[in-house]
Amino acid sequence: MQEQEGGRSGTGGSGPDRWLTATGQSYLELSKGQVLGRSMTLHPDAILVREDTPATHASIIRSGLLRVQRLGADGRRQIVNLLLPGDIVVDELDDRTGYSVECCTTVVLSRLRLSDFRALLAQDRSLRQAVLAARSRRLERMRWLTWTVGALAPTERFCAFLAFATRIMPVDRPPDGSLVLHQQLPRADVADLLVTTVESISRISHRLQAEGLIEILDPSRFRIRDLGALLAAGATKDVFDAMS
């Protein structure tokens, strides 16, 4: 219970993740139910966008996390981006061969037929601005993830990921000033996102705990004692600040 005393932030509320959801929330308020279409709940591993299948609906993510993925030349799954609450998925993958979108967690979204969505888009300038802003956030996120994988060593990648996760996943803020991260992605998703293995993630986690950077409370909860030190270990502070 003590861990809850300092409060919690997460993808649906106030807190350090505001930059991820503010535009999406404004869009949802703007729509007043008309644009939202039909509400749907999808379970982990459900497919939202099938590989090489043209879009028929626009989807607004209300809660949960999804992965944009493809199979590499070696047959291994590559997760190239994460989709978050506030993201608006239209037809961006129609011209990208081999990509699909699946749920990492339980996802609640609203769907509207693509023809109806495009008609509304043509009429509503604020909606167009919201779609462009959501697309810009998604591209910035993908650039950050691409840079992380391409420029950092495995331990640095995991440190960078944990810091990034404090922006998109629930966080408890106990009075001692630490952060307790509720890590919501399956381990296999984390490994594929960071282009490593589940076994390597486990070894890195325990090494970071031995160094005092984190404490493993259970398989899905990590106490981050000093976010600045974690960012320094992830060699990503300047990029992280720029995304903020």
Side-chain angles (χ1 to χ4, degrees), residues 197-219:
T197 64
V198 171
E199 294 76 16
S200 291
I201 293 294
S202 179
R203 287 194 296 270
I204 291 168
S205 299
H206 285 88
R207 185 164 65 247
L208 294 176
Q209 178 170 247
E211 294 171 357
L213 282 174
I214 66 172
E215 179 185 355
I216 304 170
L217 301 177
D218 60 45

Side-chain angles (χ1 to χ4, degrees), residues 127-138:
L127 177 57
R128 292 196 297 273
Q129 290 175 332
V131 171
L132 289 173
R135 184 171 298 174
S136 177
R137 289 197 313 276
R138 190 166 62 249

Side-chain angles (χ1 to χ4, degrees), residues 3 9 16 158-183 205 208-209 211-218 220-234 240:
E3 291 172 4
S9 62
F158 187 63
C159 291
F161 167 76
L162 289 179
F164 173 64
T166 66
R167 298 295 180 95
I168 66 172
M169 299 178 192
V171 174
D172 294 332
R173 299 174 178 276
D176 64 4
S178 66
L179 302 176
V180 177
L181 170 68
H182 294 249
Q183 202 290 107
S205 299
L208 294 176
Q209 178 170 247
E211 294 171 357
L213 282 174
I214 66 172
E215 179 185 355
I216 304 170
L217 301 177
D218 60 45
S220 63
R221 290 191 307 145
F222 298 86
R223 185 187 303 278
I224 299 172
R225 301 193 178 281
D226 184 337
L227 181 59
L230 190 69
L231 286 167
F240 190 79

